[in-house]
């Protein structure tokens, strides 16, 4: 401890997670030892230091266990593992596709470059975007001092006292991103945006059509503003014409981005997404790398490539692999037997694909996407009201992405990171697809309320994310039909048969496994933390009291539709927006299943539909009816195996279910 307090840290303290990661573009040739010493001297005792120390200890324990396991493998086990590893590699090799041409476009220091464009005085000064708690990115001048993304601002200030930190302005970055994406669509209408500053494009079809393009359509004008600010004579160089090759297309793309936004971008051109991603980082800033569709040249490059240059291998994976003397992609192949024995099937498959330079040659279509999400890093927020407002802001962004993709999801995922750098993920699934802000916000606030309750009102966050998974194509007809159905029945509520809702169980899952891989690394996000699974919750809607008011004391009776909590306490915020703008029905409506009436002055259609999801699942009803028809088993035994219902109620319930099934049919 005396050694730490004096700041004279040993070299062993400078390794692992807390050491500077200089793999970012513009950080080559730095004095890592000096920078690491400054980082350590100014973080000892801080939350950042304690968190990194804790996580590094966990990694070291994993490494120790891995080494102990490795010593126990017999020669026969290693021989069998080698054979199986070679079989996997052979199957991967058969999947190698060199027929496609993928471009990965990555904007150079995007947020910082946008700020420099709008404030030219910042161009010659070290500058970063973010806050004292965390930086989102830094310009290339700041990177010379070791300042980089995902670094706390107070540490960056110690590395570079002259550093200027500019607050984030996501509205501005989104606008610029949309300008870039409008250009991407000219080359691939199905381009895959990974974040605001990067995207994959499959230009295979464009190259086939490009040979028919006239010179005029391959010629673009220079931006007058750029010409006026340079020594170039506008009359001598008014336009630029591009050729027909993949390199020409990439240059044309980058040229058009620069002329429209005054920003630069780097690109990687390759037969698959992994190589394209690697290529876009090799010649930053404002450069591009081309990989010929030739296996031998790809293998020659990949063998000597550092594993840290591969997207998907982070600090932890790097340390685990380094313990096995794996530092390059060629080493992945040499140690394939050990990898097979020590890592999961998914990890092995990824490592083997990396060793061969193989990955997907087809961009993931909307129908193949498993999730959509958004997240933000911000200065510490502990006020529950502000946390709910931040969640609402994220929901607005998420819904915009959902509408663009025209999808809906069945699982809402909330991700948070505390000021102690502890990351947690909660998720909740429902039976039908959701896609509106009200629906997502309703569940998201419910999940956030649980976190606030667990922290006893002392939850302080520095990152929050919201997303949906289990995606499917959106069905607007479903919303319309539900509205028409209940509107048409509102005058017949008196004659509607009542069902004892004790037989209707709604299960709400907080399984964070559904959240895995939802949140992808961007310049605005910190490295992924280990996700903490939450226990499953079951909501038993007795007499439907819980659909009216949040259960704030018993998490075992939490309803995903917290609607009318009117208390003024900070952790009892109204879940729904009750303004006239969000009211989607004008008259009171009554649930035909449980007879609970929803006031038009207080509830939205999205909230009403969430309640219906709790009482009604078309798939489950059909299964029950089909099973009852095949087995002649009483309906009540399937709904409530512990309690037999009176025959009269069973008949009423059965008739009601048949009416609903007939409606949906």
């Amino acid at each position: 401890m005396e050694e730490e307090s004096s700041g004279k840290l040993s070299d062993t303290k400078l390794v692992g997670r807390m050491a500077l990661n200089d793999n970012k573009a513009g950080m080559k040739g730095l004095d890592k030892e000096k920078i690491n010493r400054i980082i350590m001297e100014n973080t000892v005792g801080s939350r950042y230091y304690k968190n990194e120390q804790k996580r590094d200890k966990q990694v070291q324990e994993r490494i120790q266990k891995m080494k102990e396991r490795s010593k126990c493998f017999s020669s026969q086990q290693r021989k069998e593992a080698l054979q199986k590893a070679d079989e996997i590699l052979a199957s991967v090799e058969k999947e190698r596709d060199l027929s496609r041409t993928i471009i990965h476009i990555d904007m150079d220091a995007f947020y910082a470059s946008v700020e420099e464009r709008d404030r030219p005085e910042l161009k010659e000064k070290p500058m970063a975007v973010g806050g004292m708690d965390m930086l989102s990115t830094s310009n290339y001048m700041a990177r010379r001092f070791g300042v980089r993304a995902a670094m706390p601002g107070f540490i960056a200030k110690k590395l570079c006292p002259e550093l200027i930190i500019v607050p984030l302005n996501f509205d501005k970055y989104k606008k610029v991103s949309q300008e870039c994406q409008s250009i991407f669509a000219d080359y691939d209408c199905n381009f895959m945006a990974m974040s605001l500053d990067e995207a994959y494009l499959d230009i295979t079809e464009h190259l086939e059509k490009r040979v028919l393009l006239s010179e005029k359509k391959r010629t673009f004008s220079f931006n007058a503003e750029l010409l006026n600010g340079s020594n170039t004579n506008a009359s001598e160089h008014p336009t630029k014409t591009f050729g027909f090759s993949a390199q020409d297309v990439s240059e044309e793309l980058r040229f058009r981005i620069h002329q429209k936004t005054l920003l630069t971008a780097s690109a990687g051109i390759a037969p698959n997404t992994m190589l394209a991603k690697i290529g876009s980082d090799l010649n930053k800033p404002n450069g591009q790398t081309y990989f010929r569709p030739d296996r031998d040249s790809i293998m020659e490059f990949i063998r000597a490539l550092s594993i840290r240059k591969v997207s998907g291998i982070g600090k932890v994976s790097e340390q685990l692999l380094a313990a096995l003397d794996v530092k390059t992609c060629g080493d992945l192949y040499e140690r394939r037997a050990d990898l097979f024995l020590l890592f999961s099937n998914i990890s092995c498959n990824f490592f083997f694909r990396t060793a061969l330079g193989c990955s997907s040659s087809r961009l993931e279509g909307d129908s193949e996407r498993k999730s959509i999400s958004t997240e933000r890093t911000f200065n510490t927020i502990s006020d529950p009201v502000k946390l709910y407002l931040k969640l609402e802001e994220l929901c607005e962004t998420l819904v915009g992405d959902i509408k663009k993709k025209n999808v809906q999801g069945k699982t809402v995922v909330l991700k948070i990171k505390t000021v102690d750098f502890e990351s947690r993920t909660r998720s909740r699934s429902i039976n039908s697809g959701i896609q509106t802000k009200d629906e997502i916000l309703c569940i998201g606030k419910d999940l956030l309320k649980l976190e606030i309750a667990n922290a006893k009102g002392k939850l302080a966050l520095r990152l929050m994310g919201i997303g949906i998974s289990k995606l499917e194509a959106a069905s607007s007809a479903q919303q319309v039909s539900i509205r028409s159905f209940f509107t048409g029945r509102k005058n017949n509520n008196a004659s509607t048969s009542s069902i004892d809702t004790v037989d209707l169980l709604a299960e709400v899952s907080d399984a964070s496994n559904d959240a895995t891989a939802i949140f992808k690394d961007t310049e605005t996000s910190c490295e992924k933390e280990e996700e903490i699974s939450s226990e499953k919750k079951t909501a038993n809607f007795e007499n439907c009291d819980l659909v009216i008011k949040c259960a704030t004391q018993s998490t075992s009776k939490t309803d995903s539709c917290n609607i009318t909590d009117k208390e003024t306490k900070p952790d009892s915020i109204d879940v729904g927006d009750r303004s006239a703008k969000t009211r989607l029905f004008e008259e009171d409506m009554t649930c035909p299943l449980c007879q609970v009436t929803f006031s038009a002055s207080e509830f939205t259609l999205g909230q009403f539909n969430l309640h219906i999801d709790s009482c009604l699942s078309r798939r489950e009803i059909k299964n029950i009816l089909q099973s009852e028809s095949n087995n002649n088993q009483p309906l009540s035994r399937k709904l409530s195996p512990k309690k037999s219902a009176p025959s009269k109620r069973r008949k009423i319930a059965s008739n009601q279910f048949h009416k609903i099934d007939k409606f949906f049919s």
Side-chain angles (χ1 to χ4, degrees), residues 18-22 27 30 35-36 38-39 43 48 128-138 142-143 145-160 163 165 315 377 421 462 523-527:
M18 288 172 280
L20 175 71
N21 174 17
D22 61 350
M27 301 186 73
L30 299 180
I35 293 172
N36 283 331
I38 294 174
I39 291 174
T43 56
Y48 172 78
V129 177
M132 293 300 289
D133 284 346
M134 190 60 58
L135 301 180
S136 293
T137 190
S138 60
R143 294 181 189 185
F145 296 87
V147 177
R148 59 159 296 154
M151 173 180 284
F154 71 89
I155 295 178
K157 275 287 191 179
K158 295 294 184 180
L159 292 173
C160 179
L163 181 71
I165 300 180
K315 287 183 179 180
T377 301
F421 295 86
R462 55 189 297 276
E523 278 194 309
T524 65
S525 61
C526 305
E527 184 153 345

Side-chain angles (χ1 to χ4, degrees), residues 57 100 115 128 132 185 364 375 397 407 478 521 628 659:
K57 182 179 179 180
R100 312 297 296 181
E115 298 296 344
M132 293 300 289
E364 187 181 64
E375 68 178 49
T397 302
V407 295
Q478 181 183 11
D521 290 333
E628 181 183 20
K659 289 179 181 179

Side-chain angles (χ1 to χ4, degrees), residues 28 30 76 106 136 218 257 278 294 339 400 489 509:
K28 291 182 179 179
L30 299 180
Q76 180 62 28
D106 191 1
S136 293
R218 292 180 285 106
I257 290 172
I278 293 171
D294 175 72
L339 296 177
R489 293 180 62 90
S509 173

Side-chain angles (χ1 to χ4, degrees), residues 437-591:
K437 175 187 170 183
D438 283 346
E439 293 170 327
I440 297 172
L441 187 60
C442 179
I443 298 176
K445 282 188 174 180
D446 203 21
L447 296 174
L448 181 58
K449 182 173 288 187
L450 286 175
E451 292 294 337
I452 294 174
N454 291 339
K456 298 181 180 179
K458 298 180 180 180
L459 184 67
L461 302 183
R462 55 189 297 276
L463 177 145
M464 185 186 297
I466 190 74
I468 61 169
S469 62
K470 296 184 180 178
L471 299 184
E472 59 186 13
S475 175
S476 58
Q478 181 183 11
Q479 295 287 341
V480 175
S481 62
I482 289 177
R483 182 189 303 181
S484 302
F485 170 60
F486 291 109
T487 301
R489 293 180 62 90
K490 65 180 182 291
N491 295 326
N492 300 325
N493 288 333
S495 60
T496 304
S497 299
S498 173
I499 301 177
D500 188 349
T501 56
V502 73
D503 288 337
L504 299 176
L505 300 179
E507 184 176 61
V508 181
S509 173
D510 271 0
S512 61
N513 290 337
D514 291 335
T516 305
I518 287 183
F519 295 91
K520 298 186 177 180
D521 290 333
T522 66
E523 278 194 309
T524 65
S525 61
C526 305
E527 184 153 345
K528 284 188 178 180
E529 308 277 357
E530 293 183 5
E531 298 183 354
I532 303 175
S533 299
S534 303
E535 295 181 358
K536 290 186 176 182
K537 314 290 182 184
T538 302
N540 188 348
F541 298 101
E542 298 186 16
N543 301 321
C544 285
D545 289 337
L546 293 181
V547 300
I548 300 301
K549 192 172 183 179
C550 305
T552 58
Q553 297 179 347
S554 175
T555 57
S556 66
K557 290 187 177 183
T558 300
D559 185 354
S560 64
C561 199
N562 332 38
I563 300 174
T564 65
D565 192 350
K566 296 184 179 180
E567 297 181 26
T568 58
K569 294 184 294 184
D571 61 345
S572 299
I573 306 299
D574 283 351
V575 175
D577 184 351
R578 300 177 186 178
S579 64
K581 183 178 180 181
T582 58
R583 285 181 209 143
L584 300 184
F585 59 98
E586 298 178 354
E587 299 182 30
D588 295 354
M589 291 200 292
T590 301
C591 175

Side-chain angles (χ1 to χ4, degrees), residues 99-154:
S99 65
R100 312 297 296 181
T101 303
I102 309 295
I103 293 181
H104 180 258
I105 294 287
D106 191 1
M107 303 298 293
D108 299 322
F110 183 51
Y111 298 165
S113 297
V114 173
E115 298 296 344
E116 287 180 344
R117 180 196 67 178
D118 297 343
R119 297 174 57 186
E121 69 274 13
L122 296 175
K123 288 185 177 180
E124 301 302 323
K125 299 177 181 179
M127 183 267 290
V129 177
M132 293 300 289
D133 284 346
M134 190 60 58
L135 301 180
S136 293
T137 190
S138 60
N139 66 4
Y140 289 95
M141 182 167 290
R143 294 181 189 185
R144 298 175 189 172
F145 296 87
V147 177
R148 59 159 296 154
M151 173 180 284
F154 71 89

